[in-house]
């Protein structure tokens, strides 16, 4: 019995590789996808934990910053208070110095007064030496011409003696007053200078404390900005992992759908083959019965029968897809070139940072194509990447991620299934870019903020 071979093409693009295989291979592919999904979920959990830790660090730094700023405000208030006290001391010192100047004038007058008294006292002393002291007073008394004149002379002598005693007494008082005033003013000025010096030292220490707190706040702000940047990167990584998980789930669903369609096609083909075999068996039995009934009549005659079959061959050719101008031809191998142009920058350190991919530059309208079959996990505008497309691939059980950045426009959205060589955008100059080019990254595994899975595309793509 002649058996027919049924050719089936069950290659359905699911975005993580075109698969044409037996059900066992499909099951293996689904198992690989499930493992990749679990791996992404674990990484998402880890990233969420890191985000939580980073938020706690940011909160702690902000609390410390607020505390330091409150302390700075308190120190500034103390500095202002010290400044007022210093101004008050300066005013007192200025006033005291004015008092000293006024006292100098008083001292000058006192010195003149004392000098005059000294002259009077010198004359008195000279008179005492020449006359024997009190003799002058006796002569004055005995030289009186009458009792009235005597009384007058006695009063005059008493007045002169009292005047001498007053001069001596006032002389002592003025000298003592002068010494006390000088001492008091000098003590006051010294005390004010000491107080001012103490206030200046306190203010110096306060300013030093403020400088230290200012430096601390600056350091805390820098640390906060660093953790904020890390948090943004982790959140972007979390979003990418969520998008990749969604793409994996979509791939698993399509894989199951493909398996179901393949099984249905197999059952249908088996049923048709069985039916055709039964029909051929029935025809063969009828033919054998007819030949047996005619055998006796045609015994002496030789019977020959022949069967000829004509096989019709038909060929179909799919029309050549018309690529957009300057789009690179799809090459063999795992990955194809993502765009036309020349490599303007390779992977490695650049501007003290890690350049995690390659740059391909070209002028004009340059199409950018998917490097391999896959699912678009992210398609959005980034402040650094500009217009960017992330595509997740699963090749021989290994997850890959390709990144197409700085596009002038994106032509695919998240969740879209793309084929190797299918256009995903137009080369551009968006985001952190200096001139039109494609920034292309290849990650062996999911994309992450640290880009630890990045590999050199030139080792995998023939450019």
């Amino acid at each position: 019995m002649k058996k027919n071979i049924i050719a089936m093409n069950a290659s359905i693009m699911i975005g993580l590789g075109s698969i044409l295989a037996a059900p066992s291979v499909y099951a293996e592919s689904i198992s690989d996808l499930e493992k990749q999904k679990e791996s992404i979920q674990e990484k998402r959990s880890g990233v969420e934990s890191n985000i939580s830790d980073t938020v706690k660090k940011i909160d702690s730094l902000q609390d410390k910053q607020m505390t330091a700023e409150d302390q700075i405000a308190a120190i500034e208030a103390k500095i202002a208070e010290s400044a007022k006290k210093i101004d008050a001391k300066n005013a007192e010192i200025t006033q005291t110095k004015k008092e000293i100047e006024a006292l100098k004038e008083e001292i000058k007058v006192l010195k003149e007064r004392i000098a005059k008294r000294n002259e009077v006292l010198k004359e008195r002393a000279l008179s005492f030496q020449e006359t024997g002291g009190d003799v002058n007073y006796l002569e004055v008394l005995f030289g009186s011409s009458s009792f009235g004149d005597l009384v007058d002379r006695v009063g005059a002598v008493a007045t002169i003696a009292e005047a001498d005693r007053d001069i001596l007494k006032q002389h002592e008082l003025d000298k003592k007053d002068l010494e006390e005033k000088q001492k008091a003013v000098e003590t006051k000025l010294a005390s004010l200078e000491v107080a001012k010096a103490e206030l200046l030292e306190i203010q110096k220490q306060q300013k030093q404390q403020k400088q230290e707190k200012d430096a601390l706040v600056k350091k805390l702000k820098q640390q906060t900005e660093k953790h904020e940047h890390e948090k943004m990167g982790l959140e972007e990584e979390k979003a990418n992992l969520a998008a990749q998980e969604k793409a994996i789930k979509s791939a698993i669903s399509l894989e199951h759908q493909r398996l179901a369609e393949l099984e249905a096609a197999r059952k249908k083909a088996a049923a048709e083959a069985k039916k055709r075999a039964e029909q051929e068996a029935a025809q063969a039995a009828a033919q054998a019965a007819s030949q047996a009934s005619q055998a006796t009549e045609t015994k002496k005659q030789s019977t020959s029968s022949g069967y000829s079959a004509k096989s019709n061959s038909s060929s179909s050719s799919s029309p050549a897809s018309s690529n957009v101008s300057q789009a690179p031809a799809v090459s063999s191998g795992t990955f194809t070139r993502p765009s036309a142009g020349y490599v303007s920058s390779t992977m490695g350190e650049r501007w003290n940072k890690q350049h995690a991919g390659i740059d391909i530059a070209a002028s004009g309208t340059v199409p950018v194509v998917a490097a391999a079959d896959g699912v678009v996990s992210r398609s959005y505008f980034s402040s650094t990447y500009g217009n960017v497309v992330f595509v997740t691939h699963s090749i021989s059980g290994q997850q890959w991620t390709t990144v197409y950045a700085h596009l002038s426009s994106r032509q695919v959205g998240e969740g879209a299934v793309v084929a190797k060589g299918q256009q995903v955008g137009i080369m551009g100059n968006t985001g952190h870019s200096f001139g039109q080019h494609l920034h292309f990254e290849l990650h062996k595994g999911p994309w992450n903020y640290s880009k630890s899975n990045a590999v050199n595309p030139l080792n995998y793509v023939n450019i």
Side-chain angles (χ1 to χ4, degrees):
M1 183 175 63
K2 186 177 181 180
K3 296 183 179 179
N4 294 328
I5 300 174
I6 302 174
M8 298 181 63
N9 183 2
S11 58
I12 303 171
M13 171 55 62
I14 66 168
L16 297 179
S18 297
I19 302 175
L20 179 60
S24 60
V25 178
Y26 282 113
E28 184 180 349
S29 176
I30 291 174
S31 176
D32 290 338
L33 292 172
E34 289 286 356
K35 290 177 181 178
Q36 291 177 21
K37 184 183 75 172
E38 291 173 1
S39 174
I40 289 174
Q41 288 173 339
E42 288 177 3
K43 288 176 182 176
R44 277 189 65 191
S45 177
V47 170
E48 288 172 353
S49 177
N50 290 337
I51 290 174
S52 178
D53 291 342
T54 304
V55 169
K56 289 178 181 177
K57 290 178 182 177
I58 291 171
D59 292 340
S60 175
L61 288 170
Q62 288 176 340
D63 289 342
K64 291 178 181 178
Q65 184 177 325
M66 290 178 64
T67 300
E69 287 173 349
D70 290 341
Q71 291 173 345
I72 288 172
I75 292 171
E76 287 176 342
K78 290 180 180 179
I79 291 173
E81 184 180 353
S82 298
K84 287 182 181 179
K85 289 181 179 179
I86 290 170
D87 290 341
K89 290 298 176 187
N90 284 330
E92 287 185 55
I93 290 171
T94 301
Q95 182 60 34
T96 302
K97 287 181 177 180
K98 288 181 180 179
E99 292 175 4
I100 290 173
E101 292 300 321
L103 183 60
K104 285 180 180 179
E105 294 298 322
E106 292 180 19
I107 290 170
K108 182 179 179 182
V109 172
L110 283 172
K111 285 182 177 180
E112 290 175 356
R113 191 182 302 165
I114 289 170
K116 288 180 181 179
R117 286 177 187 150
N118 283 335
E119 291 298 325
V120 172
L121 291 174
K122 284 178 182 179
E123 290 177 1
R124 291 283 192 274
L126 181 62
S127 175
F128 288 161
Q129 289 177 357
E130 292 175 350
T131 61
D134 293 338
V135 176
N136 286 337
Y137 296 123
L138 292 174
E139 288 178 354
V140 171
L141 292 175
F142 291 136
S144 58
S145 58
S146 64
F147 180 77
D149 185 29
L150 177 63
V151 171
D152 291 338
R153 292 192 177 209
V154 169
V157 169
T159 300
I160 292 170
E162 184 66 27
D164 287 343
R165 286 195 296 271
D166 288 344
I167 288 172
L168 290 170
K169 185 178 179 180
Q170 189 63 46
H171 190 62
E172 292 291 333
L173 290 174
D174 286 347
K175 286 179 69 177
K176 184 178 180 181
D177 184 50
L178 178 61
E179 291 172 354
E180 289 177 351
K181 283 185 177 180
Q182 283 181 325
K183 185 176 180 180
V185 173
E186 289 172 357
T187 301
K188 181 179 179 181
L189 182 60
S191 176
L192 289 171
E193 293 290 354
V194 169
K196 178 183 175 183
E198 290 175 351
L199 287 170
L200 288 172
E201 181 62 27
I202 291 171
Q203 189 181 59
K204 180 181 177 182
Q205 292 175 0
Q206 290 169 342
K207 288 182 177 179
Q208 180 64 30
Q209 290 174 356
K210 183 178 181 298
Q211 288 178 353
E212 291 173 358
K213 293 298 179 183
D214 286 339
L216 176 60
V217 169
K218 183 179 179 181
K219 181 179 179 181
L220 291 170
K221 284 182 178 180
Q222 290 174 344
Q223 291 177 345
T224 301
E225 289 176 0
K226 177 185 175 183
H227 288 303
E228 286 283 3
H229 187 67
E230 290 177 357
K231 178 171 170 281
M232 290 175 62
L234 289 169
E235 287 175 344
E236 186 171 5
E237 183 177 350
K238 177 184 174 183
N240 276 314
L241 288 170
Q244 289 177 9
E245 182 181 354
K246 184 178 178 182
I248 294 289
K249 287 180 179 179
S250 174
I252 291 172
S253 176
L254 290 171
E255 198 75 40
H256 282 295
Q257 180 181 347
R258 173 189 286 184
L259 180 59
E261 290 175 354
L262 179 61
E263 288 301 309
R266 287 178 182 277
K267 289 178 181 179
K268 182 178 179 182
E272 290 177 352
K274 181 179 179 182
K275 182 178 179 181
R276 190 159 43 250
E278 290 175 349
Q279 289 176 348
E280 290 177 354
Q283 290 176 359
Q287 187 176 5
S290 176
Q291 290 176 352
S293 64
Q294 296 175 2
T296 54
E297 296 177 0
T298 59
K299 195 182 265 189
K300 293 181 180 180
Q301 298 177 0
S302 62
T303 306
S304 64
S305 62
Y307 298 90
S308 62
K310 294 182 180 180
S311 60
N312 295 323
S313 62
S314 62
S315 63
S316 61
S317 61
S318 58
S321 59
S322 59
N323 291 331
V324 179
S325 177
Q326 298 185 37
V330 178
S331 64
S332 59
T334 305
F335 299 99
T336 190
R337 182 188 181 102
S339 76
Y342 67 95
V343 177
S344 59
S345 182
T346 57
M347 183 175 178
E349 187 172 343
R350 188 177 71 174
W351 302 329
N352 295 323
K353 292 179 69 177
Q354 179 65 16
H355 188 233
I358 62 171
D359 292 343
I360 302 175
S363 60
T365 303
V366 184
V368 175
V369 301
D373 298 338
V375 173
V376 178
S377 54
R378 292 208 75 188
S379 176
Y380 71 113
F381 185 86
S382 163
S383 59
T384 52
Y385 280 137
N387 280 313
V388 61
V389 173
F390 287 70
V391 179
T392 300
H393 316 269
S394 181
I395 302 171
S396 300
Q398 172 64 52
Q399 181 185 349
W400 298 80
T401 305
T402 50
V403 180
Y404 312 80
H406 306 314
L407 304 175
S408 64
S409 63
R410 293 171 280 119
Q411 297 181 351
V412 289
E414 294 183 7
V417 175
V418 293
K420 183 179 181 182
Q422 179 180 335
Q423 187 169 339
V424 297
I426 300 293
M427 185 185 292
N429 187 29
T430 58
H432 190 64
S433 172
F434 303 96
Q436 177 172 297
H437 71 284
L438 167 68
H439 175 73
F440 177 68
E441 294 179 11
L442 179 62
H443 299 261
K444 193 172 184 179
W447 181 95
N448 57 51
Y449 174 65
S450 62
K451 300 183 182 180
S452 60
N453 292 331
V455 295
N456 191 345
L458 296 178
N459 294 336
Y460 297 85
V461 186
N462 185 19
I463 296 180

